[in-house]
Amino acid sequence: MEIRIVTGDITRQDTDAIVNAANSSLLGGGGVDGAIHRAAGPDLLAHCRKLRETTLRDGLPVGKAVATPAGRLPNDWVIHTVGPNWHQGQHEPRLLVSCFRESLDAAVAVGARSVAFPAISAGIYGWDPAEVARIAAETLAAGNPAWEESIEEVRFVLFNPSLTAVFEDAFGVSRA
Ligand code: AR6
């Protein structure tokens, strides 16, 4: 499983799946969630509404993940996960660990061989990006045989170069 850290827009990645830093409603929002819904078009929202009418009537809990088809995006799947909201007192690292683990498990379940992640909770939800990066690195280092077997690439897509540098530091990537 190769780990890549890049600066860019997550709606323009050629991975089989992209992860959305959603909220429990699954019905859209600002930040990367808004960008993904705009780029994906109404089909993505329709898939999310369907989940809310069936298996997720109370919404998606913090730390959980669920996959839907990706509408007009160049990917096959969007994996929606709900990060902890620092501003609401959700400060436990295990909640963020769970987001990364559940998202990778969801990728395995749908057969996605490459997955792109944003910096979950590091925007509107107010977590320190360095803490998010550290937890991402630790969770991937702890590993899982199912991820190793079916996922070829995990790509972290950071919205600006300074955030990319934070992730590179956490993953021990040396910069030229
Ligand atoms: N590509 C990659 N990263 C992006 C993009 C993009 N197109 N757009 C923003 N980011 P946030 P959260 C970065 O706020 O903190 C929404 O309203 C952004 O710079 O999107 O988990 C949801 O509906 C930051 O580094 O997610 C929830 O209510 C990172 O993505 C809430 O925000 C995450 O920032 C979730 O907040």
Side-chain angles (χ1 to χ4, degrees):
M1 194 168 75
E2 185 193 0
I3 296 174
R4 286 180 62 205
I5 295 170
V6 303
T7 305
D9 181 341
I10 204 158
T11 65
R12 304 176 76 92
Q13 303 300 312
D14 61 1
T15 46
D16 293 344
I18 63 171
V19 175
N20 182 17
N23 59 63
S24 288
S25 81
L26 291 182
L27 301 179
V32 74
D33 192 6
I36 287 172
H37 275 276
R38 273 193 301 280
D43 281 2
L44 182 63
L45 188 58
H47 287 299
C48 291
R49 281 195 199 286
K50 184 108 190 175
L51 287 173
R52 290 300 313 277
E53 288 161 9
T54 55
T55 51
L56 291 171
R57 284 185 171 277
D58 295 328
L60 184 67
V62 177
K64 298 289 180 189
V66 64
T68 66
R72 288 197 300 252
L73 283 163
N75 322 93
D76 294 328
W77 304 98
V78 174
I79 297 170
H80 310 262
T81 191
V82 182
N85 186 342
W86 187 270
H87 304 302
Q88 291 189 354
Q90 293 165 346
H91 298 174
E92 302 99 326
R94 67 173 175 82
L95 294 171
L96 210 40
V97 170
S98 177
C99 289
F100 289 113
R101 296 189 64 90
E102 292 251 345
S103 296
L104 290 168
D105 289 347
V108 170
V110 296
R113 301 188 72 80
S114 51
V115 189
F117 278 92
I120 300 164
S121 289
I124 293 165
Y125 279 179
W127 275 62
D128 173 7
E131 184 69 356
V132 174
R134 184 187 68 76
I135 291 168
E138 280 184 12
T139 306
L140 287 184
N144 173 309
W147 305 342
E148 290 295 337
E149 195 175 316
S150 62
I151 300 175
E152 288 164 4
E153 181 189 339
V154 176
R155 188 182 303 172
F156 288 91
V157 181
L158 294 322
F159 217 29
N160 60 64
S162 59
L163 194 54
T164 303
V166 168
F167 271 68
E168 286 173 341
D169 286 348
F171 280 85
V173 176
S174 56
R175 285 187 290 282

